[in-house]
Every structure is written in C-alpha cells, then in structure tokens.
Amino acid sequence: MGVFLQTLFVGLRLGSVYALIALGYTMVYGIIRLINFAHGDFIMVGGYTLFFTVPLMVAAGLPAWTAVVIAVIVCALVGIGVELIAYRPVRKKGTNMTALITAIAMSLLLENLAQAIPAIGPNPKIAGTFFSTGGFQIAGVTLDYVTIYTIVISAVVMLLLYVFTQKTKIGRAMRCVSEDKGAAILMGISVNRTVLITFAIGSGLAAVAALMYIAQYPSIYTTLGSLLGLKAFVAAVVGGIGIVPGAMLGGIVIGLVESFSMAYISSSLTDTFVFLILILVLLVKPAGILGKNVGEKV
Amino acid sequence: MLKIQDLHVSYGAVRAIKGISLEVNDGELVSLIGANGAGKTTTLHAISGLVPAESGEIILDGTDLRRTPPEKIIGLGMAHVPEGRHVFARMSVEENLLMGAYIVRDKSKVKERLELVYGHFPRLAERSRQLAGTLSGGEQQMLAMGRALMTDPKMVLMDEPSMGLSPILVKEIFSIIKSLHADGITILLVEQNAKMALSVSDRAYVLETGLISMSGKASELLHDDKVRRAYLGA
C-alpha cells in the first residue's frame, strides 16, 4: 500500500509537469495546426533563466521561487520571437511541412545558441532549491513539499487557464481562431495577434513547468527539453491534440504510466511504456482519449 | 454604399473573377445570382478580404477595402454571413452571438443587441445555452445571421442563406431577409435559389464564369426569357 501511494504521488507530480508542457503543444497546434518542436526548448530557456535569476531574487530578500515570474516573461518573449521571426513568415509562404521543418530547426537553433553563450556552455549547471525541503507523513508515506507544490501549482495554473479561455474575451477569441479562422476574421478578431498571445501563454506555461521539473531534478543542460518535450507531446497526442482538457488528462496518464512502470516493472523501461501507450491509443482511438470528430448537422 | 470596379481575383493560375463592376446603394437589397462556380462566393470573399483581390477597386462608403485589414472591415459597418454558416460549433448559441459583438466595447450595448437579436430569432433565445454544432441547419443559419447583426451593421453580405434548407425554412429565412431590408439594412445577397432571391431583391446581377452577363431590376430579370431558361427552370 505504501509503495502504491508513493508511486501514485510521483505519477501525479510527473503528470502535472507533463500536462503543463503538453498544454503549450496543444494550444499552438489548436490554433495554427503546427507541432511546435521548439516548445521543449522553451523549458530549457526557462530553466537557465531560473538558474541565473534565483540568486538575484534571494539577494533581494525574496523567496527563490519568485524567479519564476521572470522566467515566465523571458519564455513568453522567446515564444513570441520564434513565432514572429520563424513561423509567421513561413506560414505565409510555405506548406505545413515547411512549418514543421522550421520548428525542428528552431529547436536545434535554441539548443545550440544556448550552448554558445559563454555563461551557459556545454556543462550542466546545478540549480539550488526552490521550495522548503522536507514534507510530512500520510498513511506511512512521506509526501515531500516539492510534490505537493508541483501538483497544487499546476492544478491552479490549469484552472486559471480554463477560466481564461472560457470567460475572457481574448480566451474566446483564441477558441474562435482555433475553430474557424475565416469566421473569426469576420468577427473582427486579429488572427496574428491571437496567435501571438497563444505562443506567449504556452511558453509561459513551459517556464512554470521548468520550475517544477528543476525543483525535482536540479541538473540544467541545453538539451533538457528534448526528451521532456517529446514525452509531453506524447501526452498531448494521447489526450487528443488541440484539446485543452486532453492535454491535462494526457499529462496525468503519461505521468502515472511512467511512475507505475518504474515502480512495478523496470526503471529502464519507463520510456518504452510511455511510447507503447502512445501506439496503443493511436491504434484504438487515433484522435486521442478526448478527441472526437464533432458531427455537424446540415 | 458599396462600389466595386473592375475586380479581378485568381486562385493560383485559375482566374475566378475576371473584371466585374457592381454597386449597392444605401438601403438596397441587391442579389448576385448565377450557377455553381460562377464566382459568387469568391466575390463576397474578396469584399471581406478573405481572399486577396488581384486588381480593381472595392470601396465601402469611401474606404478602400483592399487597403483595410480584413478584421477591421466589420468595424466599418459591414458584416458577412458566410456560406455554410460557419458558426462556432463548440461554443454555445449565446457565445456565438457574443463573438458577433467582439468589436463592441460597450457592454450595455452588447446586451441591448443580444435582446434585439433574440427578438428577431426567438428560437435562438430558447436554445441560448445549446452548443451551436448541435443546432439544425435552419437554426444555424439563423444563428449566423443573428451573429452578423450583433454589431448593428449598415450593410450585410449574405452568402447562400437558403443552402441545404427545407422549402419551409427557405421561406422563413427569406422573410427574415425581407424584414431586415425593411429595417433599412443594405444587403448584398448571393443565392443559387434565383427565384427566391429575385422575388425579394430591388436589383440583381447575373454572374457567369467570373463575368457579369446581365443586370437590372429584379422584377425585370424575373421575367427575362434568358434568365428564366438558365436559372429559373422555366
């Protein structure tokens, strides 16, 4: 029972991080039908921003985690920059395939650009602690603060995002553009501006994910986002890409698969199981768990 | 109100509109009829900026629409009810209507318009919380029209409002169009149902493979032999 509970919490913690990253993939995909392969690297950008700004925050007498505010801003700007410099011009001229290849190129560019910065370089950096260490006991299981914060923060962030997309004007505009660009334009919605806002939000979420991931695994390196991003992308597809609740569900599913396969089967096979789940879902329900073709009456 | 001069539109190598000129005056209901593929929808898309015009002029009340970003056009007082309704299927009826008033800042005005549209279309009021994708075709058409009315436009472009509807619904939709016209809204109507379109319009243009082949008073075209043979099935 103790092992089970522990595994469950670990899965929820991992899943919360995946869900936040998956949201970035799914929101961008929903609005411009592009798989933004550079999204994983936004986590890396967030990670390094945290690494460099945490000491500043601490020196200013603030808690270490407040650095995430700066990381969110930096990531949002990088996301906006990537859209403006690379994706928008390509989208105007090229095909979906051109955009996809551009996304892969942006991913490699960000990783290598980071490495070229002298203060970063090829060697991993180790981040300090963000949250108070320790935890408390529940039913014989130690629940550390990092796990609790991770789950709670991502739940709150996702709730805020949901309210934002449902209740605000900009959120509604995002849903309109993702559903029907032509009709959105006829309503007076600027598609380009809405896409930029989507990039900013998605990248900002990656910074929050970076905080929580690094709180658990403090090593920061330039390809930090590659596998992490890939698995979050799998989570987005498993949940149903383009669907916001799908990304949340997919993230939790992938987190649980990872933690349970680690605890009960083999820690070296966890990634195998993650991708196995992807194949299974694609075979049984190609549009993802929550994905469906909306039937329209004529 | 709307003046088009020598408009050309192409999709790649395909020339869809090969130089048409037309005019819609204040308060008029003008229809654009013609066969499938004649370029009716393309003309409306060019007016709204959804497809770029190659050359020619599109002027709305003195403003050059070709130099206006497409999302700004609704702010000039022209709304567009697109072919196939294009309601936001995953949003509720009321959310769709609110999106219609996206550019309206004044919340009390939005509320006022909402009441007005519900007054025009009581069926939409009954279904305000239902997802638009689950409405019937006729209800979706009403929603698309109601959504276009949310900004209190001076002019409305309507693209095939009767498409895919039963004869009873077609009648209902056309009686709504007539009442909007009576309210003083300027309308450019694109229709395959030429008979219905001509019977409610002041004037009409006949579009044939990207060119205007005939134009005139709707009542005269309705009795023209060529029009009758080609479009009215008589």
Side-chain angles (χ1 to χ4, degrees):
Chain A
M1 190 59 193
V3 176
F4 177 84
L5 262 186
Q6 190 82 57
T7 310
L8 183 69
F9 281 123
V10 168
L12 288 177
R13 187 193 69 218
L14 282 169
S16 311
V17 176
Y18 287 141
L20 281 187
I21 306 167
L23 280 171
Y25 280 104
T26 230
M27 286 167 71
V28 165
Y29 182 85
I31 211 152
I32 51 172
R33 297 286 177 268
L34 167 76
I35 294 159
N36 177 18
F37 278 111
H39 187 66
D41 299 292
F42 296 165
I43 309 163
M44 175 270 292
V45 172
Y48 278 112
T49 310
L50 287 170
F51 178 78
F52 290 114
T53 53
V54 162
L56 302 178
M57 290 308 195
V58 173
L62 294 165
W65 61 265
T66 50
V68 77
V69 177
I70 297 173
V72 166
I73 295 169
V74 169
C75 278
L77 290 177
V78 170
I80 288 174
V82 167
E83 152 69 4
L84 283 181
I85 295 166
Y87 298 160
R88 186 184 289 180
V90 167
R91 202 163 54 242
K92 262 191 196 145
K93 296 256 166 77
T95 60
N96 279 348
M97 185 53 79
T98 332
L100 197 68
I101 292 166
T102 309
I104 296 170
M106 284 317 289
S107 166
L108 293 172
L109 181 73
L110 285 175
E111 285 169 20
N112 289 288
L113 217 54
Q115 205 168 98
I117 297 173
I120 292 176
N123 297 319
K125 308 273 186 216
I126 306 299
T129 51
F130 297 105
F131 304 117
S132 35
T133 48
F136 51 83
Q137 300 270 328
I138 298 179
V141 177
T142 314
L143 199 54
D144 56 76
Y145 287 127
V146 173
T147 302
I148 299 167
Y149 284 137
T150 303
I151 296 171
V152 171
I153 291 172
S154 80
V156 169
V157 168
M158 286 191 272
L159 189 70
L160 287 177
L161 182 72
Y162 181 77
V163 172
F164 175 79
T165 55
Q166 295 299 314
K167 298 290 173 203
T168 68
K169 216 169 171 178
I170 301 172
R172 284 207 189 104
M174 284 167 63
R175 283 156 62 208
C176 281
V177 174
S178 105
E179 199 175 313
D180 191 328
K181 261 187 209 71
I185 292 170
L186 294 180
M187 302 300 109
I189 298 168
S190 161
V191 171
N192 277 340
R193 211 188 62 149
T194 310
V195 170
L196 273 188
I197 293 169
T198 307
F199 265 93
I201 294 174
S203 322
L205 293 177
V208 178
L211 171 76
M212 300 185 318
Y213 187 76
I214 290 164
Q216 190 70 35
Y217 310 101
S219 172
I220 308 171
Y221 44 97
T222 53
T223 53
L224 167 78
S226 303
L227 186 60
L228 191 56
L230 187 61
K231 282 198 260 183
F233 170 62
V234 168
V237 173
V238 164
I241 191 141
I243 306 162
V244 166
M248 303 177 185
L249 179 69
I252 300 297
V253 167
I254 294 300
L256 289 174
V257 165
E258 207 170 300
S259 70
F260 277 93
S261 62
M262 203 184 300
Y264 290 98
I265 303 171
S266 155
S267 60
S268 58
L269 284 177
T270 52
D271 292 348
T272 315
F273 281 100
V274 167
F275 293 108
L276 199 63
I277 287 291
L278 173 68
I279 295 170
L280 281 178
V281 168
L282 289 181
L283 281 175
V284 179
K285 216 161 174 297
I289 299 173
L290 295 184
K292 56 182 169 225
N293 296 319
V294 179
E296 258 181 74
K297 284 189 194 169
V298 179
Chain B
M1 174 163 291
L2 179 73
K3 198 169 181 208
I4 297 176
Q5 202 80 50
D6 197 28
L7 175 70
H8 288 76
V9 183
S10 296
Y11 296 107
V14 183
R15 295 169 60 212
I17 302 292
K18 306 166 193 166
I20 65 169
S21 299
L22 62 85
E23 213 172 319
V24 185
N25 299 314
D26 279 20
E28 257 191 326
L29 199 177
V30 173
S31 58
L32 192 57
I33 60 174
N36 230 342
K40 306 184 298 289
T41 294
T42 303
T43 305
L44 293 195
H45 278 194
I47 297 172
S48 283
L50 294 179
V51 297
E54 223 179 351
S55 64
E57 273 189 334
I58 307 169
I59 310 288
L60 177 73
D61 277 337
T63 309
D64 184 353
L65 293 190
R66 286 189 61 200
R67 289 168 191 277
T68 310
E71 71 267 14
K72 300 278 183 217
I73 290 178
I74 190 163
L76 300 173
M78 188 174 78
H80 184 154
V81 184
E83 180 185 14
R85 294 101 191 182
H86 286 267
V87 295
F88 299 108
R90 290 195 291 267
M91 288 183 161
S92 72
V93 167
E94 186 145 322
E95 278 182 308
N96 267 273
L97 293 175
L98 291 176
M99 287 325 294
Y102 179 77
I103 61 159
V104 183
R105 291 253 165 81
D106 184 349
K107 275 192 181 155
S108 63
K109 213 167 229 167
V110 174
K111 227 174 172 180
E112 206 176 282
R113 295 300 301 173
L114 196 62
E115 294 305 317
L116 213 77
V117 168
Y118 280 149
H120 263 296
F121 306 98
R123 201 103 60 94
L124 296 182
E126 288 163 28
R127 312 206 157 200
S128 62
R129 302 203 160 270
Q130 200 174 319
L131 286 187
T134 65
L135 296 177
S136 73
E139 289 161 347
Q140 287 192 6
Q141 187 60 49
M142 291 177 194
L143 179 56
M145 290 168 110
R147 190 178 62 178
L149 294 175
M150 286 296 291
T151 47
D152 194 11
K154 293 178 291 186
M155 175 162 191
V156 179
L157 308 176
M158 285 195 197
D159 199 348
E160 305 276 9
S162 77
M163 194 172 70
L165 300 184
S166 70
I168 298 171
L169 278 168
V170 171
K171 264 197 174 153
E172 199 174 332
I173 293 292
F174 270 96
S175 80
I176 294 165
I177 294 172
K178 253 167 55 185
S179 79
L180 294 177
H181 177 41
D183 288 347
I185 298 176
T186 309
I187 298 172
L188 177 57
L189 172 68
V190 154
E191 259 294 342
Q192 270 195 66
N193 189 337
K195 198 171 173 183
M196 284 302 270
L198 290 176
S199 68
V200 298
S201 299
D202 300 315
R203 288 190 301 116
Y205 293 86
V206 180
L207 201 57
E208 240 172 85
T209 57
L211 287 167
I212 286 173
S213 61
M214 261 192 284
S215 66
K217 279 194 170 165
S219 53
E220 284 166 13
L221 287 173
L222 200 53
H223 296 104
D224 185 278
D225 277 347
K226 266 197 286 185
V227 174
R228 286 172 71 93
R229 267 199 305 278
Y231 302 107
L232 305 179

